[in-house]
Amino acid sequence: MPASQTHIGPDTPMGATARPGGCTFRCWAPRALGVWVTGSFNGWSPRAEAQRLVRDPSGCWAGFVPGVGAGAQYKFYVEGPGSRGYKRDPHAREIVAPDWNCVVTDPAAYPWHDAGFRPPAYEDLIIYQLHVGTFFAVDAAGADRRQGRVATFLDAIDRIPYLAELGVTAVQPLPIVEFPTAFSLGYNGTDYFSPEFTYAVPEAELGPSLRRANALLAARGHAPVAAADIRDAAGQLRLFVDLLHVHGIAVLFDVVYNHAGGDFGDESLYFFDRVPQGNNNDSLYFTDRGWAGGLVFEYWNAPVRRFLIDNAVFLAREFHVDGLRYDEVSVIDAFGGWSFCQDLTAALRGAKPSAVQVAEYWAPDQAACVRPAAEGGAGFDLVWHAGLRESVRQALAQAAGGRDADVNLDPVAQALAAWNGLPQRWRAVQMLENHDVLLVAHEAKDRRPRVPAAADPSNARSWYARSRSRVATGLLLTGPGIPLLFMGQEFLEDKLWSDSPDDPDHRIWWDGLRQDRAMADFLRFTRELIGLRRAQPALTRGEINVFHVHNLNRVIAYHRWLPGQGRDVVVAASLAEATRHGYALGFPRGGTWREAFNSDVYDGWVNPAVAGNSGAIEAGGPPLHGLPHSAAVVLPANAVVVFVKEDP
């Protein structure tokens, strides 16, 4: 007899689901001739009659296997018109080495500590993008141990207090799902419900990581976790998310729904129902259209849409993530997936209304992706934007030409002021660096130098590099939009990066915070500027008026405010190589303005030769720059100065 149909029905979850007395198994293989589940519970017998699944009219095969519970390893065995053999469960929550076996798990077993966590409002996001495999790892003596091995989720937890002190409000790891290569950026995943197993510490080696994790929990007044709670990659990823939440930091996962693969292998979801290969349009989940070395999904196919939508909801529910960043939505749109995007965003919003949904969408009408589906939009909340990145980098390159070079700040002004059709300015995610533009493996035409190397190509540690980098970061963190920082950007990292554990020349230099004064000073600058952004609501959700651009003087100034409330902030940035004293600048209100921030003070903190305004200025001058008041201010060389009007 085939597998029992106990607990089996149209609503039986896909994949393996532990039930009282056993486990249900279900997969979609509409053209298969037969499907069995096999594993540690039956000696891996590939076609045991008791584990033969039953097909339903939708093309799904399902059955209940008694006595199977969490920890059991399994695969499907599929007999199709073209071949027969093992297949991994596309919905497997856990995959383990060395044989890439799927594992039955209990997703409710992890003892979460984040019940009191509430993610920030979308406009209060300050996103920190990192790559788990290369981010951070030290041994018991504090020495870097990233050489020759990928870093893990539990290595990354050691930097969580650092990130909390930095002040970022969200962490966005590059994709963390299972990929078939030894190391990866994460954009070639094939097993969408299973975290990458090389990012896990083996169970036998958990002791030191467990002690560090529990110390972090205890410091925040929480109960410890046990080794059994984090024995696998999924448990360790939950702990990583949990600890970020405990420290007040939201988590956004990066998901890839525009393609899967590269290298699929015979046991993946590629040709899952084992029809004859040769035409990728017959591969069940995919079309014959390629992207980034893999294959584009069949967005017109309802079960494929459901697979991807289920994945998004799964991540939000089972890993408590606070939002998703969707890779290359432009590609999804180009291959007919606009209505899929509408269904996707609606489903996640229904499952977790607070989850922020961020699109990487490079079509000319970027606003379309954040419009509601009822208005023809895709329903995302935020969209990546390149305007500030390109304009600021252009200004840095021009300033690097020397004191007498022409610097055109008009594109910067346009990028700061542009609505781009968005309903609110904060819906644009702005950045100067990200994983794509800094990847050393990319062709030169697709790469950009890190900010300090762009600021002074001859010496990324010179005063020119340091001071211009502060200007660039100041524009990012005081301008409109959601700022995103790439790992290391906060402390003047100047090297391109690599996802390879065997490339020490392109690795974040954490030891520089102890050995390089410039890096430590820049970290303080970034941390305190983030603190200013978080303290001034006009900088996160306010309007902007770029009221002064003087290219000859290399000065740009803008006003941020909350309509109807004030909370006025004036930002002045200079890329001039000499301090300007008595610089006449317009102000929207008269009276005293506090000098809330001056980047010049961070050069050799505390800079003994700082040029500034003694903590405040008086805006008692005549109308100027289209504003009703003015003041004579000091603008330090290559610096950003922020003035705040204390209400009332």
Side-chain angles (χ1 to χ4, degrees):
M1 291 182 62
S4 166
Q5 294 301 288
T6 302
H7 301 295
I8 301 300
D11 296 327
T12 300
M14 303 297 286
T17 306
R19 299 287 192 185
C23 184
T24 62
F25 294 90
R26 191 175 188 221
C27 65
W28 178 56
R31 297 165 297 185
L33 305 177
V35 178
W36 293 258
V37 63
T38 180
S40 56
F41 44 83
N42 72 351
W44 293 97
S45 176
R47 301 176 71 194
E49 182 65 14
Q51 284 81 48
R52 179 165 61 88
L53 305 182
V54 176
R55 188 187 191 279
D56 68 20
S58 72
C60 290
W61 299 74
F64 176 78
V65 181
V68 175
Q73 297 187 15
Y74 72 99
K75 286 178 181 174
F76 293 117
Y77 189 88
V78 179
E79 180 178 341
S83 66
R84 64 174 62 173
Y86 291 108
K87 282 289 186 181
R88 296 191 301 276
D89 178 3
H91 290 80
R93 290 181 170 94
E94 186 72 30
I95 293 173
V96 294
D99 297 319
W100 287 63
N101 292 335
C102 308
V103 182
V104 178
T105 66
D106 178 5
Y110 180 81
W112 289 94
H113 304 80
D114 63 353
F117 174 73
R118 297 294 179 271
Y122 299 166
E123 57 266 40
D124 292 330
L125 288 169
I126 302 170
I127 301 171
Y128 188 93
Q129 187 187 42
L130 61 85
H131 177 253
V132 170
T134 59
F135 179 52
F136 180 83
V138 296
D139 61 20
D144 194 328
R145 61 170 184 167
R146 288 173 291 175
Q147 178 61 32
R149 62 181 289 277
V150 296
T152 67
F153 298 126
L154 297 187
D155 288 321
I157 69 172
D158 293 335
R159 290 280 87 179
I160 290 177
Y162 164 89
L163 294 170
E165 185 179 8
L166 178 61
V168 295
T169 61
V171 163
Q172 180 187 300
L174 270 65
I176 50 75
V177 301
E178 198 65 64
F179 47 76
T181 47
F183 59 88
S184 172
L185 276 72
Y187 295 94
N188 61 332
T190 54
D191 296 86
Y192 275 47
F193 290 75
S194 177
E196 168 58 35
F197 59 68
T198 62
Y199 288 169
V201 174
E203 186 175 4
E205 302 172 16
L206 274 177
S209 298
L210 182 65
R211 288 190 291 273
R212 296 196 308 273
N214 282 331
L216 291 175
L217 287 169
R220 297 279 168 151
H222 293 287
V225 295
D229 301 322
I230 58 169
R231 61 162 55 98
D232 53 28
Q236 293 175 30
L237 177 57
R238 287 185 173 94
L239 177 59
F240 176 62
V241 174
D242 197 18
L243 281 167
L244 283 163
H245 283 172
V246 164
H247 285 78
I249 301 173
V251 182
L252 313 182
F253 277 5
D254 194 340
V255 295
V256 187
Y257 296 158
N258 55 71
H259 78 285
D263 178 19
F264 287 102
D266 184 61
E267 294 187 358
S268 74
L269 76 175
Y270 179 62
F271 282 92
F272 186 82
D273 52 2
R274 292 194 173 275
V275 302
Q277 296 191 20
N279 180 356
N280 283 331
N281 284 319
D282 291 331
S283 60
L284 191 61
Y285 284 88
F286 306 104
T287 70
D288 63 352
R289 302 301 181 91
W291 181 258
L295 292 175
V296 175
F297 285 99
E298 281 188 352
Y299 301 114
W300 53 266
N301 195 325
V304 175
R305 293 161 77 103
R306 176 49 53 191
F307 170 77
L308 296 172
I309 290 170
D310 284 351
N311 181 251
V313 173
F314 159 83
L315 295 173
R317 287 179 172 166
E318 296 201 5
F319 288 96
H320 290 204
V321 298
D322 307 292
L324 298 177
R325 180 264 186 188
Y326 300 93
D327 182 65
E328 279 288 11
V329 173
S330 324
V331 176
I332 300 175
D333 180 25
F335 290 105
W338 193 255
S339 66
F340 159 72
C341 291
Q342 294 173 325
D343 291 347
L344 170 67
T345 55
L348 183 56
R349 191 162 290 115
K352 190 168 186 176
S354 65
V356 63
Q357 303 192 64
V358 186
E360 182 191 10
Y361 184 69
W362 300 115
D365 183 12
Q366 284 194 298
C369 73
V370 300
R371 282 197 288 269
E375 299 174 11
F380 297 99
D381 301 304
L382 309 175
V383 60
W384 271 31
H385 198 272
L388 194 63
R389 182 184 78 206
E390 297 305 314
S391 62
V392 169
R393 283 179 168 274
Q394 174 184 295
L396 289 178
Q398 292 168 344
R403 180 190 61 189
D404 299 323
D406 292 333
V407 176
N408 183 8
L409 293 169
D410 291 334
V412 176
Q414 292 163 9
L416 288 168
W419 278 91
N420 301 299
L422 300 173
Q424 293 88 20
R425 296 181 192 275
W426 50 261
R427 291 188 182 271
V429 178
Q430 302 281 10
M431 66 208 73
L432 303 177
E433 300 182 344
N434 64 46
H435 68 288
D436 259 339
V437 300
L438 301 178
L439 185 67
V440 68
H442 279 170
E443 294 183 22
K445 66 181 178 64
D446 297 321
R447 291 198 309 260
R448 302 287 189 278
R450 296 205 76 150
V451 168
D456 185 354
S458 68
N459 181 359
R461 282 294 176 272
S462 70
W463 172 79
Y464 299 102
R466 301 191 307 267
S467 57
R468 291 173 188 147
S469 296
R470 288 191 293 267
V471 172
T473 304
L475 292 168
L476 175 68
L477 289 172
T478 62
I482 306 300
L484 179 145
L485 301 172
F486 185 69
M487 57 182 188
Q489 181 181 350
E490 73 277 15
F491 60 82
L492 209 66
E493 178 58 74
D494 62 345
K495 301 185 298 297
L496 296 175
W497 84 286
S498 169
D499 58 341
S500 171
D502 298 316
D503 187 0
D505 294 333
H506 296 98
R507 190 179 295 154
I508 296 176
W509 187 40
W510 290 105
D511 287 345
L513 291 174
R514 296 192 302 270
Q515 301 177 26
D516 187 330
R517 173 69 178 275
M519 297 181 100
D521 287 346
F522 201 89
L523 175 62
R524 177 186 290 272
F525 155 79
T526 307
R527 183 174 66 239
E528 296 190 2
L529 186 54
I530 287 174
L532 178 72
R533 180 179 179 87
R534 294 183 63 173
Q536 298 296 329
L539 296 181
T540 58
R541 56 180 59 83
E543 297 299 320
I544 186 169
N545 172 26
V546 183
F547 61 84
H548 178 63
V549 177
H550 198 298
N551 289 324
L552 186 61
N553 290 340
R554 298 184 175 185
V555 172
I556 184 171
Y558 44 95
H559 172 211
R560 306 291 314 275
W561 76 99
L562 295 179
Q565 299 181 47
R567 307 298 296 268
D568 298 84
V569 176
V570 167
V571 180
S574 171
L575 282 171
E577 295 183 9
T579 295
R580 299 191 181 280
H581 296 271
Y583 195 88
L585 200 65
F587 279 83
R589 296 166 63 186
T592 302
W593 287 71
R594 177 170 62 90
E595 185 181 33
F597 193 85
N598 183 338
S599 66
D600 194 43
V601 75
Y602 297 93
D603 201 67
W605 169 269
V606 175
N607 183 358
V610 61
N613 295 276
S614 302
I617 58 96
E618 289 294 323
L624 187 64
H625 301 146
L627 298 176
H629 304 276
S630 63
V633 304
V634 175
L635 296 182
N638 285 345
V640 172
V641 181
V642 181
F643 301 99
V644 172
K645 182 65 173 174
E646 306 291 2
D647 291 314

